[in-house]
């Protein structure tokens, strides 16, 4: 042990710890359609509706070094006798990402950032379906890493930190 502090040699590598900071969250677009209300509200005993879900992620860099990430969730509920409701939400966030190599930024933007946004987007969809007269539609957790991997393998994601997933 010595009495002097010697900094470890970094060989010029960036030693900043990886970090994600959410600077803002917002609803960019929200649509709720209840095309057959109030009739569909009275026939809820007709069984559970069939739900078709959609998930998209999109990210882009900004001139100020921050990143915008959008999470698009959609749900369409139908029964044998027709549509019940359709909700579509585009929920966004502005993120500051530090200590991540440029080659690794894409999965951070399209997997980790949507994980941060999801609970808030889920609540919005639950609230709007409840306000539409239905029991709250609470989305099951989404495997964003699986969605990203499948879309990457399918060639749907192109270019670092950009594109839809």
């Amino acid at each position: 042990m010595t009495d002097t502090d010697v900094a470890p040699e970094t060989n010029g590598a960036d030693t900043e710890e990886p970090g994600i900071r959410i600077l803002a969250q917002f609803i960019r677009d929200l649509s709720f359609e209840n095309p057959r209300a109030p009739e569909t509200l009275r026939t809820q005993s007709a069984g559970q509706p069939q739900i078709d879900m959609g998930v998209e992620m999109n990210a882009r860099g900004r001139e100020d070094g921050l990143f915008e990430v959008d999470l698009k969730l959609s749900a369409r509920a139908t029964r044998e006798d027709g549509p019940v409701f359709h909700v579509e939400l585009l929920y966004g966030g502005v993120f500051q990402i530090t200590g991540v190599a440029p080659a690794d930024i894409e999965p951070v933007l399209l997997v980790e950032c949507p994980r941060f946004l999801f609970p808030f987007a889920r609540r919005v969809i639950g609230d709007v379906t409840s306000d539409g007269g239905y029991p709250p539609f609470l989305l099951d957790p989404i495997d964003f890493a699986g969605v990203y991997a499948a879309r990457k393998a399918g060639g749907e994601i192109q270019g670092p930190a950009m594109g839809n997933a």
Side-chain angles (χ1 to χ4, degrees):
M1 185 170 232
T2 64
D3 290 338
T4 60
D5 293 329
V6 179
E9 202 171 306
T10 61
N11 296 330
D14 187 9
T15 60
E16 186 175 17
E17 288 290 320
I20 301 173
R21 248 180 97 202
I22 305 170
L23 302 177
Q25 297 182 72
F26 47 88
I27 295 173
R28 190 179 301 273
D29 189 22
L30 174 62
S31 171
F32 179 77
E33 298 172 20
N34 200 358
R36 296 185 15 218
E39 288 78 24
T40 55
L41 301 176
R42 288 188 251 173
T43 61
Q44 289 183 3
S45 61
Q48 294 293 323
Q50 172 69 36
I51 307 286
D52 293 321
M53 283 291 307
V55 178
E56 294 179 36
M57 295 93 66
N58 187 11
R60 63 193 154 281
R62 296 168 28 134
E63 291 180 11
D64 58 5
L66 302 175
F67 295 91
E68 284 186 42
V69 176
D70 288 331
L71 174 58
K72 182 178 182 181
L73 301 172
S74 62
R76 182 179 302 272
T78 56
R79 289 196 180 111
E80 288 181 10
D81 59 346
V84 178
F85 69 80
H86 180 213
V87 62
E88 199 169 279
L89 172 65
L90 185 58
Y91 195 81
V94 176
F95 291 84
Q96 178 184 37
I97 299 175
T98 56
V100 176
D104 299 328
I105 197 78
E106 184 178 89
V108 170
L109 291 171
L110 297 176
V111 175
E112 298 305 322
C113 292
R115 282 184 185 160
F116 284 111
L117 297 175
F118 178 75
F120 302 96
R122 180 181 192 248
R123 182 193 53 80
V124 170
I125 289 177
D127 287 350
V128 76
T129 54
S130 177
D131 291 346
Y134 301 98
F137 178 63
L138 299 176
L139 298 169
D140 288 335
I142 296 171
D143 177 10
F144 291 105
V147 172
Y148 171 77
R151 301 240 169 117
K152 184 87 170 170
E156 295 179 44
I157 299 175
Q158 301 166 357
M162 299 295 172
N164 288 332

